[in-house]
Amino acid sequence: MRTFAAVFWVEVLVNTKRVAPYALMILFAANAILWWGWGPAVGRGWATNSDFYIYRNISAFNFVLGLPVFTIIMMGDPVIRDFRLGVDPLIFSKPIGRASYLLGKFFGAFFVLVCCQAVFAITSFLLQWVPFSGMVKLPVQFLPFIKHFFFVVVVSHLVVGASFFAIGTITRNAKIIYGLAACFYPAYASVQLLLKGLPENLLKLFDPIAFNFHSKGEGGWDQTAEFLNKQVVSYGPYAYANRALMLLYTAIFLFIVYRRFSTHEQTKLSTDHLTILTLPRAAETVPLGLESAAPSYEVFDSPIEASPARNRIPLPSVTITRGLRSTLSKIIAAVETEFRLLRSERSLIVLIPLVILLSIFDLAFFQVEPEISYSVTYATGTSKYLLFFLVGLIIFFTGETMHRDREVRVRPIVWSMPAPNSVLLLSKCFATSLLAFALLAVVGLVAIVIQVFRGHTPVDFTAYVVIYGVVVAPSIVFMASMVVGLNALLRNKYATYVIAVAISAVLLYLYNTGHNHWSYNPLLYRLWTYPDLFTANMLKLRLYCFALAAGLLVLAHLVFERKSK
C-alpha cells in the first residue's frame, strides 16, 4: 500500500509540472463561461442552474471536450514516459511490485485528469452568483453538479482512460494511442449508426460515454422552459447497469495490463549493437616461494550496449557579436530555437485542432445570418472565439518558454552567452506570438473553406485581413507581452498562471457587466464593429495597445533576473 501511494503521488507531482493540465483547466473554465453566458439558455428561457441544464452542459462537455482527445494526454503515456526517459531501471531497482506501480501510475494520472475536468463543474457552480442580463436562475444548486459530474464524466473517463492506459502500457507506442484517439469519434458514430435499430435500453446499456442516457422522449428536451426548469433528471436501471458494466470493464483492462506488463523493454537487443569488453580477472594468490612464477589471468566478456546514434539538430549560428545587426541576428536565432522547442510540445497536437474546431463550430454547423457580408460575419465570429482561447494558450505556453531553461537546468549555459537580456526576452515573446499567428492563419483558411463549402460566396478576403490584422494581431502581441512581463516580475510559473487567469476572469466579468472602457480593454472586447475598423479612432486604440505591449516588455527587461553588466 505504501508503494502504491508513493507511485501515485509521484505521478501526480510529475503531471503538475506539465503545461497540459493547466492548459486544460483554462480551456474548460473558458467553455463553462462561454456555455453559461452565450449558450441557448437566455434565448429559450432555461434556468442556467436547473437540474436539466446542469445535466445538459455536463453531458455536452463529456462528449465534445472530454473524450477522447484530452484523456490520452493524461492517460496514454504514464508508463511510456518512464521507459522513454530511461528511468525504468532506477524505478524497478526498488521493491515495487507490478500491481503497485501500475495502479499508482493509472490512478495518479486519472486523479489529475479528474481535477482538470472538475474545473468545468466548479466554474459552472460559481457562475450562479454572477449576474447576467435576461438570464433565468433558480436558487443556488450544489448536489446536481456533483451527481451528474461523477455519474457522466468520471465513470466514462475511467473506462476510456483504462483502455488507453492498457494499450499504451502494453505497446509502449504513443503514436498508436494518438492514432486510436483520432479514430474514436468516427468509430463511435459508425457504431451508433449500425445499432440505430436496436431498442433504446440496449443502447443505454452498452454506451461507454453515456451519450444515450437522455433522449427527447424521456426528458422533454423539446418541452417548454417552465417544464424543463422544474424537471429533475433521473437515471433508470439501464443507466446504472451501464455504469456498473463500465467499472467492470475498467477492472478487466487493468487486469490485462497487470498480466501482460513486463519491466523490461519489449525489443530484444541484437548482438550487432553490442561491444565486447574484455577485462582481466584479479590475479590468483601466488604460494609462498613461487613468486617468480608468472601470474595467470582469465578473461571474461561483458556485453555493453553501444550508444545509439542520436538525432542532432544544428543550432543557429551567430557570427557577428556587436551592433544592431548582431542583436537582430541573435534575436532571429533565438526565436528559431525557442519556436522549435515550443513546437515540440506534445499537447499542441491535441489543443490546436480542438481550438480550431471550437472557433469555427457555430459557423460550420448552424445557420449564419450575414450582417454586412458573409465574409465579415465569418471573420468576426472566428476572431471572437479564437481570442477567447488564445488567452489561455498564450498564458500557459509563454510560461513554459520563460521557465524551461531553469527547469531543464541549462539556464547558466544560456545566460553565459554574449547576448543581451532583450534577446532572451524578445525571443520568448516572439516565439509564442508566432505560434498564435500561425494558429490565426489556419483558422482563417478553415473559415474561408467552410464559407465556400456552404455556398456563402463571394469571399471578401479584405474583410478577413482587416479584422484579423486590426483586432486579433495587436491583441496577440499585447497578451504575449503581458505574460512575459508577469513572468519576469513574479519569477514563478505557477504564481503567474494564477495571477494571469485571475486578471482575465475579473476583466471578463467587468466587460460583461458593462464596464469595458478602452483604457483597460486593449483587446477591444465588445468595443468594435466592422465599420469602426476604418476610422482614425481605431488607429489610436491600436497604437495604445502596442504602447502597452512595449511598456510591459520594458518592465520585463528592468526586473529580469539576469543582470547585464
Side-chain angles (χ1 to χ4, degrees):
M1 191 65 183
R2 291 183 179 179
T3 56
F4 162 76
V7 176
F8 174 88
W9 287 114
V10 167
E11 182 65 22
V12 171
L13 292 175
V14 168
N15 279 286
T16 57
K17 299 295 184 181
R18 303 168 66 188
V19 67
Y22 302 98
L24 295 185
M25 287 181 186
I26 190 65
L27 182 63
F28 294 160
N31 274 272
I33 297 172
L34 184 65
W35 296 355
W36 163 81
W38 293 268
V42 175
R44 300 189 180 186
W46 293 344
T48 53
N49 61 341
S50 65
D51 195 78
F52 157 77
Y53 198 69
I54 293 171
Y55 169 79
R56 179 188 180 278
N57 277 3
I58 289 180
S59 180
F61 165 77
N62 181 60
F63 182 76
V64 177
L65 290 180
L67 292 167
V69 289
F70 294 129
T71 306
I72 65 173
I73 296 177
M74 307 304 302
M75 304 300 300
D77 66 343
V79 175
I80 298 175
R81 189 191 317 120
D82 291 343
F83 285 88
R84 185 177 66 247
L85 297 177
V87 299
D88 52 302
L90 178 63
I91 293 175
F92 297 115
S93 65
K94 309 298 180 183
I96 299 177
R98 285 189 300 168
S100 298
Y101 173 76
L102 293 172
L103 292 178
K105 282 286 183 178
F106 173 77
F107 285 106
F110 185 71
F111 175 77
V112 177
L113 175 65
V114 171
C115 289
C116 295
Q117 294 167 337
V119 172
F120 180 87
I122 294 172
T123 305
S124 302
F125 170 74
L126 296 177
L127 288 173
Q128 295 179 94
W129 285 275
V130 178
F132 195 90
S133 177
M135 182 176 291
V136 179
K137 288 194 294 184
L138 301 177
V140 175
Q141 303 278 355
F142 177 70
L143 291 179
F145 292 97
I146 299 178
K147 176 182 70 173
H148 298 310
F149 178 76
F150 177 81
F151 198 82
V152 176
V153 178
V154 175
V155 179
S156 297
H157 284 266
L158 186 67
V159 64
V160 175
S163 62
F164 282 123
F165 178 79
I167 297 172
T169 302
I170 294 174
T171 63
R172 297 179 192 171
N173 191 324
K175 294 181 180 179
I176 295 178
I177 298 297
Y178 283 93
L180 292 176
C183 299
F184 182 87
Y185 283 118
Y188 181 81
S190 301
V191 172
Q192 292 296 309
L193 290 175
L194 292 175
L195 303 180
K196 189 175 181 180
L198 295 179
E200 190 172 313
N201 288 331
L202 288 180
L203 294 178
K204 289 183 181 181
L205 183 61
F206 297 105
D207 186 0
I209 61 176
F211 185 72
N212 295 304
F213 277 9
H214 202 79
S215 64
K216 291 185 176 181
E218 285 185 352
W221 291 76
D222 54 353
Q223 298 294 327
T224 62
E226 291 77 10
F227 175 85
L228 294 176
N229 293 341
K230 297 178 182 179
Q231 182 190 13
V232 176
V233 177
S234 59
Y235 302 99
Y238 283 93
Y240 284 104
N242 172 280
R243 301 291 85 177
L245 190 60
M246 296 305 109
L247 295 177
L248 178 61
Y249 286 161
T250 301
I252 293 174
F253 287 137
L254 294 178
F255 179 75
I256 293 174
V257 172
Y258 172 77
R259 296 292 297 177
R260 296 293 303 274
F261 177 71
S262 172
T263 59
H264 303 289
E265 288 287 356
Q266 295 186 349
T267 57
K268 294 183 179 180
L269 295 175
S270 173
T271 56
D272 296 336
H273 302 286
L274 298 180
T275 300
I276 305 301
L277 178 63
T278 303
L279 298 176
R281 182 174 294 178
E284 297 180 357
T285 303
V286 181
L288 185 61
L290 297 178
E291 292 86 351
S292 59
S296 62
Y297 292 91
E298 295 183 12
V299 297
F300 63 94
D301 296 333
S302 175
I304 299 178
E305 183 182 1
S307 299
R310 298 186 180 275
N311 295 328
R312 294 180 175 86
I313 301 176
L315 294 177
S317 59
V318 179
T319 56
I320 310 173
T321 59
R322 295 180 181 179
L324 179 60
R325 183 182 176 186
S326 169
T327 302
L328 291 177
S329 299
K330 293 174 184 177
I331 290 176
I332 294 173
V335 169
E336 183 180 349
T337 302
E338 290 290 346
F339 187 72
R340 184 186 296 120
L341 294 172
L342 188 62
R343 192 180 57 187
S344 65
E345 287 284 348
R346 298 177 63 190
S347 56
L348 288 176
I349 300 174
V350 176
L351 289 176
I352 287 182
L354 187 66
V355 170
I356 295 172
L357 174 63
L358 294 176
S359 299
I360 55 89
F361 188 81
D362 285 348
L363 299 172
F365 300 102
F366 296 97
Q367 184 176 359
V368 178
E369 296 292 339
E371 297 178 2
I372 298 176
S373 68
Y374 278 112
S375 296
V376 172
T377 302
Y378 274 78
T380 302
T382 52
S383 65
K384 290 179 179 178
Y385 287 118
L386 182 61
L387 273 177
F388 201 73
F389 297 114
L390 282 179
V391 172
L393 290 178
I394 290 176
I395 287 174
F396 290 105
F397 285 109
T398 303
E400 284 298 300
T401 59
M402 288 291 293
H403 298 275
R404 184 192 298 112
D405 297 340
R406 175 179 56 82
E407 291 176 348
V408 299
R409 300 179 181 180
V410 298
R411 189 169 66 174
I413 301 176
V414 175
W415 284 11
S416 65
M417 296 294 103
N421 290 344
S422 58
V423 171
L424 301 181
L425 291 171
L426 290 177
S427 63
K428 299 177 185 301
C429 180
F430 290 164
T432 309
S433 301
L434 186 60
L435 175 65
F437 284 131
L439 184 58
L440 174 63
V442 174
V443 169
L445 291 175
V446 174
I448 292 172
V449 171
I450 292 175
Q451 182 182 346
V452 174
F453 182 78
R454 298 192 68 180
H456 296 159
T457 51
V459 176
D460 183 6
F461 294 99
T462 304
Y464 285 94
V465 174
V466 171
I467 292 175
Y468 290 167
V470 176
V471 178
V472 184
S475 301
I476 290 173
V477 175
F478 168 77
M479 288 187 291
S481 303
M482 184 192 72
V483 180
V484 168
L486 281 176
N487 277 283
L489 179 64
L490 299 176
R491 302 180 182 180
N492 185 284
K493 179 170 65 176
Y494 303 106
T496 304
Y497 289 163
V498 173
I499 298 298
V501 172
I503 292 174
S504 302
V506 171
L507 290 177
L508 184 62
Y509 171 74
L510 292 175
Y511 299 157
N512 287 322
T513 54
H515 303 84
N516 57 349
H517 193 265
W518 59 268
S519 60
Y520 54 89
N521 188 2
L523 274 61
L524 301 182
Y525 182 76
R526 292 188 171 185
L527 284 183
W528 64 276
T529 59
Y530 186 66
D532 296 333
L533 302 182
F534 300 92
T535 62
N537 184 55
M538 180 58 63
L539 177 61
K540 296 178 182 178
L541 293 177
R542 295 292 82 184
L543 291 176
Y544 172 72
C545 179
F546 284 121
L548 286 179
L552 290 168
L553 290 176
V554 171
L555 173 65
H557 189 274
L558 294 176
V559 300
F560 193 44
E561 284 184 273
R562 178 177 181 256
K563 303 301 179 183
S564 299
K565 295 182 180 180

